[in-house]
Amino acid sequence: MPELPEVEVVRAGLAPAVTGATVLGVSVLDERALTRHSGDGLHFEAALTGRRIVDAARRGKFLWLPLAGASGGEPGEALVAHLGMSGQILLREPGAPVERHERVRLDIQHPEHGDLSVVFADQRTFGSLAIDALIPTPDAAPGGWGTTAASVPAQVAHIARDALDPAFRDADFRAAVARKDSAIKRVLLDQSVVSGVGNIYADESLWAARIHPESTAKSLSTRAVNRLLADVRAILEKALAEGGTSFDAQYVNVNGQSGYFSHSLNAYGRTGQPCPRCGRPIVRVSFTNRSSHFCPHCQKAPKA
DNA sequence: GGAATAACCTGGATGC
DNA sequence: TGCATCCAGGTTATTC
């Protein structure tokens, strides 16, 4: 389940291998991986073949590779990737066997590293690739991590900056939370408010901040919102340092290796186990087609 | 316009 | 052993 730390690990692994590389060939094995692309598989292959990759950038859970323009000019388009729930981007030797659930393969040539294959594999097909236009950022700040260019793919423009982004504005986040009449967990999962947080890190952040997931966002004090934001940052940074979270084979870095943050979880996936803070059992409840894990003692339910 | 909900999808786990 | 059902969850279209 790739969230910000997992996607950043993939981006960081991908960047040195693809920056400056030229796409020699593209194979689309399953067009369901192109649901965000405006054309079909043939269009995708033709539009990408021969292009030079300039960067590897990320905002929230979206990853994109800006493509040099005609005659090597400024990028006007990018290859955009979203891993969905089970997407993987793997670096393989040229001619490597087809991966299980492989959807798209790019054969690239790097001036220093030689030939490589970039494989997009996705079991549940929630992830996707697309070629999309780059548009200027409204705040003129870099579009995301890994790039200095003040541009972002059009389909990522509505995604807020993530809490680790230097251009993230705490005041805007506080104002958005103060306007929301819905549960704070729903707000944390709203990528147009703050990006990169998914079900795992939402549960962990709320546990750390001692806030019940169903507390109404606008009922929280400024102090509580500040504490929550600080905890979101601390948890994302820790997860990033540990290579992300992995419960199964669905999340791996570009070399196919898993992260270690699952060993550091305090609430998510620990139903019935003692809360590391108070010792009472963690509970799991159904929440908007998801599961919420929290400590009912440390995270008091909102008053009815 | 804001909030809530359903649908998309696959494979592992579970129950019968 | 085989089949049916449930569950995981990010994003977005649809509904209220």
Side-chain angles (χ1 to χ4, degrees):
Chain A
M1 298 159 232
E3 300 181 29
L4 184 153
E6 292 76 36
V7 181
E8 176 55 26
V9 167
V10 171
R11 188 207 65 78
L14 206 52
V18 303
T19 302
T22 300
V23 180
L24 298 180
V26 182
S27 302
V28 176
L29 284 69
D30 189 336
E31 292 201 4
R32 290 179 299 176
L34 304 179
T35 52
R36 287 187 175 85
H37 183 66
S38 59
D40 60 11
L42 289 175
H43 178 268
F44 181 83
E45 292 175 1
L48 199 49
T49 302
R51 306 290 292 273
R52 186 170 62 84
I53 299 168
V54 176
D55 250 340
R58 179 195 56 77
R59 176 183 290 199
K61 303 167 196 172
F62 280 88
L63 182 65
W64 68 91
L65 308 178
L67 303 168
S71 312
E74 285 297 305
E77 289 182 319
L79 170 61
V80 186
H82 193 290
L83 301 180
M85 281 187 61
S86 53
Q88 302 174 340
I89 297 179
L90 305 163
L91 291 175
R92 293 289 184 256
E93 293 296 322
V98 173
E99 299 283 334
R100 197 179 183 200
H101 308 304
E102 180 171 332
R103 311 294 182 192
V104 177
R105 177 176 295 216
L106 312 184
D107 293 312
I108 63 172
Q109 185 174 55
H110 192 278
E112 294 172 21
H113 309 310
D115 293 348
L116 273 177
S117 291
V118 180
V119 170
F120 179 71
D122 187 12
Q123 177 198 98
R124 297 175 200 172
T125 67
F126 276 29
S128 67
L129 301 179
I131 297 171
D132 196 15
L134 289 167
I135 61 175
T137 54
D139 56 6
W145 274 38
T147 182
T148 55
S151 60
V152 66
Q155 60 187 261
V156 183
H158 69 290
I159 300 294
R161 293 182 179 279
D162 61 66
L164 301 182
D165 190 321
F168 182 86
R169 293 166 60 95
D170 291 14
D172 288 351
F173 176 76
R174 283 192 295 267
V177 170
R179 282 195 305 269
K180 294 286 185 179
D181 196 22
S182 52
I184 185 62
K185 179 168 176 181
R186 187 186 292 275
V187 176
L188 279 183
L189 294 175
D190 184 344
Q191 304 297 299
S192 67
V193 175
V194 57
S195 67
V197 178
N199 206 40
I200 298 171
Y201 297 118
D203 279 356
E204 290 301 303
S205 302
L206 289 165
W207 179 87
R210 298 172 182 255
I211 296 172
H212 192 284
E214 292 179 30
S215 300
T216 305
K218 68 182 185 184
S219 73
L220 298 176
S221 66
T222 301
R223 187 176 180 179
V225 175
N226 285 337
R227 188 175 64 222
L228 176 60
L229 186 53
D231 284 325
V232 167
R233 287 191 170 116
I235 285 164
L236 291 178
E237 284 172 350
K238 187 166 192 287
L240 198 50
E242 295 182 14
T245 304
S246 180
F247 296 99
D248 49 34
Q250 294 312 317
Y251 162 67
V252 293
N253 65 15
V254 294
N255 299 314
Q257 299 162 327
S258 298
Y260 294 96
F261 190 71
S262 55
H263 302 295
S264 302
L265 295 173
N266 292 305
Y268 184 88
R270 301 189 70 246
T271 309
Q273 296 179 47
C275 167
R277 204 159 39 206
C278 73
R280 292 176 172 83
I282 296 290
V283 301
R284 169 186 170 276
V285 298
S286 182
F287 177 81
T288 67
N289 291 336
R290 302 282 179 273
S291 291
S292 269
H293 307 77
F294 63 96
C295 171
H297 179 73
C298 298
Q299 297 165 266
K300 297 294 186 194
K303 292 173 184 171

mmCIF file of all heavy atoms in Angstrom, chain A residues 227-260:
data_model
loop_
_atom_site.group_PDB
_atom_site.id
_atom_site.type_symbol
_atom_site.label_atom_id
_atom_site.label_comp_id
_atom_site.label_asym_id
_atom_site.label_seq_id
_atom_site.Cartn_x
_atom_site.Cartn_y
_atom_site.Cartn_z
ATOM 1 N N ARG A 227 -0.196 19.854 16.694
ATOM 2 C CA ARG A 227 0.415 18.616 17.198
ATOM 3 C C ARG A 227 0.252 17.498 16.166
ATOM 4 O O ARG A 227 1.173 16.728 15.901
ATOM 5 C CB ARG A 227 -0.239 18.231 18.524
ATOM 6 C CG ARG A 227 0.452 17.067 19.226
ATOM 7 C CD ARG A 227 -0.177 16.819 20.590
ATOM 8 N NE ARG A 227 -1.563 16.405 20.460
ATOM 9 C CZ ARG A 227 -2.560 16.838 21.227
ATOM 10 N NH1 ARG A 227 -2.337 17.721 22.171
ATOM 11 N NH2 ARG A 227 -3.788 16.396 21.047
ATOM 12 N N LEU A 228 -0.935 17.441 15.571
ATOM 13 C CA LEU A 228 -1.201 16.418 14.557
ATOM 14 C C LEU A 228 -0.265 16.587 13.365
ATOM 15 O O LEU A 228 0.316 15.609 12.879
ATOM 16 C CB LEU A 228 -2.665 16.502 14.113
ATOM 17 C CG LEU A 228 -3.091 15.573 12.983
ATOM 18 C CD1 LEU A 228 -2.873 14.113 13.362
ATOM 19 C CD2 LEU A 228 -4.565 15.807 12.634
ATOM 20 N N LEU A 229 -0.110 17.798 12.911
ATOM 21 C CA LEU A 229 0.764 18.054 11.755
ATOM 22 C C LEU A 229 2.209 17.677 12.078
ATOM 23 O O LEU A 229 2.913 17.081 11.255
ATOM 24 C CB LEU A 229 0.655 19.533 11.349
ATOM 25 C CG LEU A 229 1.379 19.966 10.080
ATOM 26 C CD1 LEU A 229 0.990 19.087 8.888
ATOM 27 C CD2 LEU A 229 1.085 21.432 9.772
ATOM 28 N N ALA A 230 2.624 17.998 13.300
ATOM 29 C CA ALA A 230 3.990 17.636 13.717
ATOM 30 C C ALA A 230 4.144 16.119 13.754
ATOM 31 O O ALA A 230 5.185 15.564 13.354
ATOM 32 C CB ALA A 230 4.287 18.239 15.086
ATOM 33 N N ASP A 231 3.107 15.425 14.196
ATOM 34 C CA ASP A 231 3.176 13.960 14.254
ATOM 35 C C ASP A 231 3.138 13.345 12.861
ATOM 36 O O ASP A 231 3.798 12.331 12.604
ATOM 37 C CB ASP A 231 2.041 13.413 15.126
ATOM 38 C CG ASP A 231 2.321 13.618 16.613
ATOM 39 O OD1 ASP A 231 3.506 13.531 16.997
ATOM 40 O OD2 ASP A 231 1.385 13.892 17.373
ATOM 41 N N VAL A 232 2.346 13.934 11.962
ATOM 42 C CA VAL A 232 2.335 13.454 10.569
ATOM 43 C C VAL A 232 3.757 13.528 10.013
ATOM 44 O O VAL A 232 4.271 12.556 9.443
ATOM 45 C CB VAL A 232 1.373 14.299 9.702
ATOM 46 C CG1 VAL A 232 1.605 14.011 8.217
ATOM 47 C CG2 VAL A 232 -0.080 14.016 10.073
ATOM 48 N N ARG A 233 4.394 14.661 10.241
ATOM 49 C CA ARG A 233 5.760 14.842 9.717
ATOM 50 C C ARG A 233 6.732 13.848 10.343
ATOM 51 O O ARG A 233 7.533 13.219 9.648
ATOM 52 C CB ARG A 233 6.231 16.277 9.983
ATOM 53 C CG ARG A 233 5.561 17.300 9.092
ATOM 54 C CD ARG A 233 6.249 18.650 9.210
ATOM 55 N NE ARG A 233 5.774 19.558 8.189
ATOM 56 C CZ ARG A 233 5.099 20.687 8.441
ATOM 57 N NH1 ARG A 233 4.861 21.057 9.679
ATOM 58 N NH2 ARG A 233 4.697 21.449 7.439
ATOM 59 N N ALA A 234 6.657 13.708 11.649
ATOM 60 C CA ALA A 234 7.599 12.819 12.344
ATOM 61 C C ALA A 234 7.449 11.380 11.857
ATOM 62 O O ALA A 234 8.443 10.670 11.644
ATOM 63 C CB ALA A 234 7.360 12.909 13.852
ATOM 64 N N ILE A 235 6.207 10.960 11.670
ATOM 65 C CA ILE A 235 5.965 9.572 11.258
ATOM 66 C C ILE A 235 6.390 9.345 9.817
ATOM 67 O O ILE A 235 7.011 8.324 9.482
ATOM 68 C CB ILE A 235 4.486 9.216 11.497
ATOM 69 C CG1 ILE A 235 4.279 9.012 13.003
ATOM 70 C CG2 ILE A 235 4.062 7.982 10.724
ATOM 71 C CD1 ILE A 235 2.851 9.030 13.447
ATOM 72 N N LEU A 236 6.098 10.306 8.949
ATOM 73 C CA LEU A 236 6.524 10.160 7.551
ATOM 74 C C LEU A 236 8.049 10.118 7.461
ATOM 75 O O LEU A 236 8.620 9.313 6.714
ATOM 76 C CB LEU A 236 5.974 11.314 6.704
ATOM 77 C CG LEU A 236 4.463 11.340 6.484
ATOM 78 C CD1 LEU A 236 4.067 12.568 5.666
ATOM 79 C CD2 LEU A 236 3.966 10.074 5.794
ATOM 80 N N GLU A 237 8.709 10.971 8.240
ATOM 81 C CA GLU A 237 10.179 11.002 8.202
ATOM 82 C C GLU A 237 10.772 9.691 8.724
ATOM 83 O O GLU A 237 11.731 9.172 8.164
ATOM 84 C CB GLU A 237 10.696 12.192 9.022
ATOM 85 C CG GLU A 237 10.531 13.514 8.280
ATOM 86 C CD GLU A 237 10.858 14.727 9.141
ATOM 87 O OE1 GLU A 237 11.026 14.554 10.366
ATOM 88 O OE2 GLU A 237 10.919 15.831 8.581
ATOM 89 N N LYS A 238 10.175 9.174 9.788
ATOM 90 C CA LYS A 238 10.680 7.909 10.346
ATOM 91 C C LYS A 238 10.463 6.765 9.358
ATOM 92 O O LYS A 238 11.354 5.931 9.146
ATOM 93 C CB LYS A 238 9.967 7.617 11.672
ATOM 94 C CG LYS A 238 10.520 6.409 12.427
ATOM 95 C CD LYS A 238 10.013 6.392 13.871
ATOM 96 C CE LYS A 238 10.761 5.379 14.725
ATOM 97 N NZ LYS A 238 10.420 4.008 14.439
ATOM 98 N N ALA A 239 9.284 6.741 8.748
ATOM 99 C CA ALA A 239 8.985 5.680 7.778
ATOM 100 C C ALA A 239 9.929 5.764 6.586
ATOM 101 O O ALA A 239 10.398 4.746 6.066
ATOM 102 C CB ALA A 239 7.536 5.779 7.324
ATOM 103 N N LEU A 240 10.203 6.994 6.180
ATOM 104 C CA LEU A 240 11.116 7.213 5.054
ATOM 105 C C LEU A 240 12.509 6.680 5.396
ATOM 106 O O LEU A 240 13.146 5.990 4.591
ATOM 107 C CB LEU A 240 11.162 8.714 4.764
ATOM 108 C CG LEU A 240 11.690 9.204 3.434
ATOM 109 C CD1 LEU A 240 11.051 8.474 2.281
ATOM 110 C CD2 LEU A 240 11.453 10.705 3.314
ATOM 111 N N ALA A 241 12.951 6.982 6.609
ATOM 112 C CA ALA A 241 14.280 6.537 7.043
ATOM 113 C C ALA A 241 14.376 5.018 7.112
ATOM 114 O O ALA A 241 15.451 4.443 6.934
ATOM 115 C CB ALA A 241 14.609 7.156 8.403
ATOM 116 N N GLU A 242 13.228 4.371 7.360
ATOM 117 C CA GLU A 242 13.237 2.910 7.490
ATOM 118 C C GLU A 242 12.844 2.209 6.189
ATOM 119 O O GLU A 242 12.598 1.003 6.176
ATOM 120 C CB GLU A 242 12.315 2.489 8.641
ATOM 121 C CG GLU A 242 12.839 2.985 9.982
ATOM 122 C CD GLU A 242 11.985 2.555 11.164
ATOM 123 O OE1 GLU A 242 11.141 1.656 10.991
ATOM 124 O OE2 GLU A 242 12.167 3.124 12.247
ATOM 125 N N GLY A 243 12.725 2.980 5.115
ATOM 126 C CA GLY A 243 12.462 2.374 3.814
ATOM 127 C C GLY A 243 11.007 2.062 3.554
ATOM 128 O O GLY A 243 10.681 1.290 2.660
ATOM 129 N N GLY A 244 10.108 2.645 4.356
ATOM 130 C CA GLY A 244 8.678 2.448 4.116
ATOM 131 C C GLY A 244 8.118 1.269 4.876
ATOM 132 O O GLY A 244 8.820 0.584 5.628
ATOM 133 N N THR A 245 6.814 1.046 4.671
ATOM 134 C CA THR A 245 6.096 -0.018 5.358
ATOM 135 C C THR A 245 5.804 -1.140 4.382
ATOM 136 O O THR A 245 5.471 -0.891 3.242
ATOM 137 C CB THR A 245 4.757 0.508 5.912
ATOM 138 O OG1 THR A 245 5.028 1.625 6.744
ATOM 139 C CG2 THR A 245 4.038 -0.546 6.710
ATOM 140 N N SER A 246 5.910 -2.365 4.849
ATOM 141 C CA SER A 246 5.557 -3.482 3.979
ATOM 142 C C SER A 246 4.927 -4.586 4.805
ATOM 143 O O SER A 246 5.460 -5.004 5.817
ATOM 144 C CB SER A 246 6.795 -4.030 3.265
ATOM 145 O OG SER A 246 6.408 -5.102 2.449
ATOM 146 N N PHE A 247 3.744 -5.035 4.403
ATOM 147 C CA PHE A 247 3.084 -6.149 5.074
ATOM 148 C C PHE A 247 3.182 -7.427 4.251
ATOM 149 O O PHE A 247 2.996 -8.509 4.728
ATOM 150 C CB PHE A 247 1.609 -5.839 5.312
ATOM 151 C CG PHE A 247 1.410 -4.696 6.226
ATOM 152 C CD1 PHE A 247 1.134 -3.446 5.724
ATOM 153 C CD2 PHE A 247 1.546 -4.860 7.585
ATOM 154 C CE1 PHE A 247 0.962 -2.377 6.580
ATOM 155 C CE2 PHE A 247 1.382 -3.795 8.443
ATOM 156 C CZ PHE A 247 1.087 -2.549 7.933
ATOM 157 N N ASP A 248 3.418 -7.264 2.987
ATOM 158 C CA ASP A 248 3.472 -8.424 2.103
ATOM 159 C C ASP A 248 4.405 -8.054 0.945
ATOM 160 O O ASP A 248 5.202 -7.139 1.056
ATOM 161 C CB ASP A 248 2.072 -8.785 1.595
ATOM 162 C CG ASP A 248 1.331 -7.576 1.051
ATOM 163 O OD1 ASP A 248 2.000 -6.691 0.478
ATOM 164 O OD2 ASP A 248 0.099 -7.527 1.205
ATOM 165 N N ALA A 249 4.268 -8.737 -0.150
ATOM 166 C CA ALA A 249 5.168 -8.502 -1.273
ATOM 167 C C ALA A 249 4.689 -7.355 -2.159
ATOM 168 O O ALA A 249 5.249 -7.098 -3.208
ATOM 169 C CB ALA A 249 5.295 -9.778 -2.101
ATOM 170 N N GLN A 250 3.629 -6.654 -1.729
ATOM 171 C CA GLN A 250 3.050 -5.641 -2.606
ATOM 172 C C GLN A 250 3.837 -4.347 -2.667
ATOM 173 O O GLN A 250 3.758 -3.609 -3.619
ATOM 174 C CB GLN A 250 1.601 -5.340 -2.190
ATOM 175 C CG GLN A 250 0.688 -6.508 -2.384
ATOM 176 C CD GLN A 250 0.848 -7.140 -3.744
ATOM 177 O OE1 GLN A 250 0.956 -6.451 -4.754
ATOM 178 N NE2 GLN A 250 0.908 -8.451 -3.776
ATOM 179 N N TYR A 251 4.596 -4.046 -1.609
ATOM 180 C CA TYR A 251 5.403 -2.839 -1.684
ATOM 181 C C TYR A 251 6.874 -3.199 -1.621
ATOM 182 O O TYR A 251 7.342 -3.805 -0.661
ATOM 183 C CB TYR A 251 5.080 -1.834 -0.581
ATOM 184 C CG TYR A 251 6.199 -0.858 -0.463
ATOM 185 C CD1 TYR A 251 6.440 0.022 -1.511
ATOM 186 C CD2 TYR A 251 7.097 -0.908 0.568
ATOM 187 C CE1 TYR A 251 7.534 0.845 -1.500
ATOM 188 C CE2 TYR A 251 8.191 -0.085 0.599
ATOM 189 C CZ TYR A 251 8.410 0.790 -0.436
ATOM 190 O OH TYR A 251 9.499 1.585 -0.435
ATOM 191 N N VAL A 252 7.617 -2.800 -2.617
ATOM 192 C CA VAL A 252 9.058 -3.015 -2.643
ATOM 193 C C VAL A 252 9.712 -1.815 -3.320
ATOM 194 O O VAL A 252 9.057 -1.046 -4.012
ATOM 195 C CB VAL A 252 9.442 -4.291 -3.434
ATOM 196 C CG1 VAL A 252 8.955 -5.540 -2.728
ATOM 197 C CG2 VAL A 252 8.883 -4.243 -4.854
ATOM 198 N N ASN A 253 11.017 -1.633 -3.083
ATOM 199 C CA ASN A 253 11.718 -0.569 -3.778
ATOM 200 C C ASN A 253 12.083 -1.044 -5.189
ATOM 201 O O ASN A 253 11.672 -2.128 -5.614
ATOM 202 C CB ASN A 253 12.956 -0.109 -2.979
ATOM 203 C CG ASN A 253 14.008 -1.197 -2.851
ATOM 204 O OD1 ASN A 253 13.978 -2.199 -3.569
ATOM 205 N ND2 ASN A 253 14.927 -1.009 -1.933
ATOM 206 N N VAL A 254 12.857 -0.238 -5.920
ATOM 207 C CA VAL A 254 13.126 -0.585 -7.327
ATOM 208 C C VAL A 254 13.950 -1.854 -7.471
ATOM 209 O O VAL A 254 14.040 -2.421 -8.562
ATOM 210 C CB VAL A 254 13.819 0.580 -8.074
ATOM 211 C CG1 VAL A 254 12.886 1.763 -8.187
ATOM 212 C CG2 VAL A 254 15.122 0.968 -7.384
ATOM 213 N N ASN A 255 14.559 -2.301 -6.366
ATOM 214 C CA ASN A 255 15.332 -3.547 -6.420
ATOM 215 C C ASN A 255 14.538 -4.742 -5.889
ATOM 216 O O ASN A 255 15.076 -5.830 -5.725
ATOM 217 C CB ASN A 255 16.623 -3.391 -5.608
ATOM 218 C CG ASN A 255 17.494 -2.282 -6.161
ATOM 219 O OD1 ASN A 255 17.695 -2.201 -7.366
ATOM 220 N ND2 ASN A 255 17.977 -1.420 -5.291
ATOM 221 N N GLY A 256 13.252 -4.492 -5.578
ATOM 222 C CA GLY A 256 12.411 -5.584 -5.111
ATOM 223 C C GLY A 256 12.527 -5.863 -3.626
ATOM 224 O O GLY A 256 12.091 -6.907 -3.141
ATOM 225 N N GLN A 257 13.105 -4.909 -2.841
ATOM 226 C CA GLN A 257 13.292 -5.137 -1.403
ATOM 227 C C GLN A 257 12.210 -4.416 -0.601
ATOM 228 O O GLN A 257 11.735 -3.354 -0.988
ATOM 229 C CB GLN A 257 14.676 -4.623 -0.969
ATOM 230 C CG GLN A 257 15.812 -5.344 -1.677
ATOM 231 C CD GLN A 257 17.129 -4.580 -1.599
ATOM 232 O OE1 GLN A 257 17.142 -3.355 -1.587
ATOM 233 N NE2 GLN A 257 18.220 -5.328 -1.567
ATOM 234 N N SER A 258 11.862 -4.996 0.574
ATOM 235 C CA SER A 258 10.822 -4.432 1.417
ATOM 236 C C SER A 258 11.399 -3.475 2.451
ATOM 237 O O SER A 258 12.579 -3.540 2.798
ATOM 238 C CB SER A 258 10.080 -5.554 2.153
ATOM 239 O OG SER A 258 9.461 -6.410 1.231
ATOM 240 N N GLY A 259 10.513 -2.578 2.976
ATOM 241 C CA GLY A 259 10.914 -1.663 4.027
ATOM 242 C C GLY A 259 10.700 -2.278 5.403
ATOM 243 O O GLY A 259 10.224 -3.408 5.543
ATOM 244 N N TYR A 260 11.045 -1.506 6.452
ATOM 245 C CA TYR A 260 11.018 -2.052 7.809
ATOM 246 C C TYR A 260 10.039 -1.338 8.738
ATOM 247 O O TYR A 260 9.920 -1.691 9.890
ATOM 248 C CB TYR A 260 12.428 -1.968 8.433
ATOM 249 C CG TYR A 260 13.412 -2.842 7.733
ATOM 250 C CD1 TYR A 260 14.244 -2.327 6.748
ATOM 251 C CD2 TYR A 260 13.485 -4.197 8.030
ATOM 252 C CE1 TYR A 260 15.142 -3.134 6.070
ATOM 253 C CE2 TYR A 260 14.382 -5.015 7.372
ATOM 254 C CZ TYR A 260 15.202 -4.479 6.396
ATOM 255 O OH TYR A 260 16.080 -5.289 5.739
#
